Amino acid sequence: MSWQAYVDNLLSSSKVDQAALYSRAGDSVWASSANFNVSADEITKISKSFDDPSALQEHGLYVNGQKYFLLRSDDRSIYGKHDDTGVIAVRTKQAILLAHYSPPTVPGEATQVVEAMADYLISVNY
């Protein structure tokens, strides 16, 4: 299966409206949905924040040029919210899944889909 198929699978859930898959270091995009223009600086900061969330806590979480209120940041998952939209970043052994959701999806629905995809990638050593 191509990396794009994983992004397409997230989108087909109807719980995520934009998604991308990056290398664990955040230095290369493996697949992305259309118009999900996450800057190199944004994904680099996210990738580093799994190990040290202080930069996100101090300066905020930015994705696709939008600032999100940081809800959670640990060595596996980063969650952000802006009004009624949000972002979810989950780190696996070799990748970072990044997804965006909008109404009518609620945070828990989107989180469940993205975390489940991450669990699958981890189970197959990605």
Side-chain angles (χ1 to χ4, degrees):
M1 184 185 304
S2 75
W3 292 120
Q4 189 62 44
Y6 291 99
V7 169
D8 294 345
N9 185 285
L10 287 172
L11 298 173
S12 72
S13 72
S14 299
K15 303 301 179 191
V16 170
D17 58 11
Q18 295 177 315
L21 191 59
Y22 296 89
S23 67
R24 183 179 169 106
D27 57 2
S28 64
V29 60
W30 294 352
S32 181
S33 59
N35 301 317
F36 197 40
N37 303 315
V38 180
S39 74
D41 184 55
E42 290 171 341
I43 191 61
T44 298
K45 286 179 180 174
I46 290 169
S47 71
K48 290 179 179 179
S49 293
F50 287 105
D51 295 318
D52 180 7
S54 62
L56 288 185
Q57 293 165 343
E58 185 176 339
H59 302 291
L61 169 62
Y62 287 84
V63 175
N64 207 16
Q66 177 63 58
K67 184 175 183 178
Y68 292 85
F69 178 74
L70 185 64
L71 298 174
R72 173 183 178 165
S73 182
D74 60 35
D75 63 351
R76 175 185 161 112
S77 304
I78 297 172
Y79 302 161
K81 187 156 177 48
H82 174 76
D83 295 333
D84 54 359
T85 67
V87 291
I88 303 154
V90 184
R91 183 170 70 170
T92 69
K93 294 177 182 180
Q94 298 183 39
I96 296 171
L97 285 165
L98 183 61
H100 178 273
Y101 63 89
S102 298
T105 301
V106 295
E109 294 172 329
T111 299
Q112 183 178 9
V113 169
V114 179
E115 292 280 359
M117 175 70 71
D119 287 341
Y120 171 75
L121 289 173
I122 291 167
S123 77
V124 295
N125 291 316
Y126 278 101

